[in-house]
């Protein structure tokens, strides 16, 4: 039995022991979540009652692969500077390209980001990236502390040595490193910039916790919306609060729908008055077409061996949906024809995750529906990607005073800071129905020792 399977089985056995059968420990965990702002709107951010386990070997493999992947992406970014044709393959809007062309003042493509990862049977695939103030970091750190000291995990730690993988400290360190590179000497004040739903005047719950963390570390922080910002005499501000670092949690596409390129945030960014984390250059990473460039051997043939190995082993084949000839596994194909004939193994995804478009999973559609989906994808910015199945596992769920085992889909999110792995969270969702509210974050612990 694999190390993580053994840890999960032992944990479940602990829950069935007399000491924990009365479920007082479960009530305690949910009470602590409520007390620590981990139940916004009355919904617990962690819907399950056990952590997710990864082995040290898996964690180090994700670290090595993600580092090579980001190195390859940075190589492609450099190639785009002298190749407008290559840049055009990302399907970016003209205004997005203009913003991406602005020098952010530091050399990093992404100060902070996460990789959507399917980790199964000792292997893993990166299927997407997120650079819009990647979610889950602050929730994960709080949940890690809460679960690590819970009764069942304490019992498990007698047999298995567990390591927490906190990320908030590394996030702040990375932000300050980028700020330092920009050459600014002033002690920075931080603004977390977000959009809010209509008629909502309060900041998002995760942003509130993040701001509290930055303040405790000694950095004045406010959560603001773009329409609250002003820029005068080289100073970006909200009211009387001056801003040196902007932690951006809004996409360029959403921003450009509402504001012009003359907005105070853009002017401050262009003039180098702020350090923006992440910069508008990371819009390149948000386009799923970046995976199309990475998995195109005609582009990466001369990349270093470590980068090509990471791409080959950990990225699913991806192409922008167009009526073109391309390659698959080294063989020439007509792309639309290939998509139609290989429905079961493919998925059609919007190029931009913020677009109001749907994904289509070929294995879940009929031939006729797949044909319609392809026609839609040819009219809109879409990519086709080889489908990677989400791994599933049983997790204990506590609802209405009872505990039951529920099959959950698992997606691991390595958090990347300045191109290096600096933490890891896990997203879980109910695998039994598409309409369940059982979805959220569970802490990730690294199992020390051998195993896969």
């Amino acid at each position: 039995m694999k190390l993580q399977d053994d840890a999960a089985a032992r944990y479940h056995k602990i829950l069935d022991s007399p000491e924990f059968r009365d479920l007082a420990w479960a009530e305690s965990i949910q009470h602590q979540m409520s007390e620590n702002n981990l139940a916004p709107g009355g919904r617990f951010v962690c819907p399950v009652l056990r952590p997710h386990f990864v082995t040290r070997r898996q964690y180090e493999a994700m670290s090595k692969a993600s580092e090579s992947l980001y190195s390859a992406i940075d190589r492609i970014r450099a190639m785009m500077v002298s190749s407008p044709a290559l840049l055009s393959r990302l399907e970016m809007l003209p205004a997005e390209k203009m913003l991406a062309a602005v020098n952010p003042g530091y050399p990093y493509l992404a100060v902070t980001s996460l990789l959507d990862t399917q980790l199964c049977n000792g292997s893993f695939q990166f299927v997407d990236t997120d650079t819009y103030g990647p979610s889950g970091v602050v929730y994960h750190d709080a949940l890690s502390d809460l679960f690590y000291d819970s009764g069942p995990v304490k019992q498990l730690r007698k047999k298995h040595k567990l390591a927490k993988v906190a990320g908030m400290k590394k996030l702040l360190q990375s932000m300050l490193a980028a700020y330092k590179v920009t050459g600014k000497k002033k002690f920075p004040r931080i603004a977390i910039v977000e959009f809010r739903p209509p008629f909502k005047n309060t900041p998002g719950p995760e942003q509130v916790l993040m701001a509290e963390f930055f303040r405790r570390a000694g950095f004045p922080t406010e959560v603001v919306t773009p329409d609250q910002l002003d820029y005068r005499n080289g100073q970006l501000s909200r009211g009387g609060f001056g801003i040196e670092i902007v932690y951006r949690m809004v996409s360029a596409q959403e921003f450009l729908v509402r504001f012009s390129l003359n907005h105070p945030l853009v002017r401050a960014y262009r003039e180098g008055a702020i350090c923006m984390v992440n910069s508008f250059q990371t819009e390149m990473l948000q386009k799923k077409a970046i995976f199309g460039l990475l998995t195109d051997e005609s582009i990466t043939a001369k990349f270093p061996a470590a980068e090509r190995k990471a791409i080959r082993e950990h990225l699913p084949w991806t192409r922008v949906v167009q009526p073109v000839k391309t390659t698959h596994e080294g063989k020439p194909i007509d792309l639309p024809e290939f998509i139609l004939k290989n429905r079961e193994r493919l998925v059609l995804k919007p190029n931009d995750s913020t677009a109001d478009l749907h994904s289509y999973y070929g294995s879940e559609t009929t031939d006729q529906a797949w044909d319609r989906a392809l026609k839609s994808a040819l009219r809109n910015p879409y990519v086709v990607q080889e489908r990677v199945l989400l791994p599933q596992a049983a997790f204990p769920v506590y609802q209405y005073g009872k505990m039951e085992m529920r099959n959950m889909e698992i997606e691991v999110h390595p958090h990347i800071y300045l191109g290096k792995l600096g933490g890891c969270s896990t997203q879980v969702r109910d695998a039994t129905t598409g309409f369940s509210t059982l979805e959220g974050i569970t802490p990730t612990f690294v199992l020390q020792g051998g195993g896969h």
Side-chain angles (χ1 to χ4, degrees), residues 194-198 200-204 223-225 228 238 258:
E194 63 168 9
F195 281 134
R196 293 173 193 164
K200 183 185 177 186
N201 296 318
T202 56
V223 184
V224 307
T225 59
Q228 294 175 326
R238 195 282 296 270
R258 308 184 194 193

Side-chain angles (χ1 to χ4, degrees), residues 7 171 211 309 338 444:
L171 169 60
K309 183 175 186 290
F338 179 84
T444 304

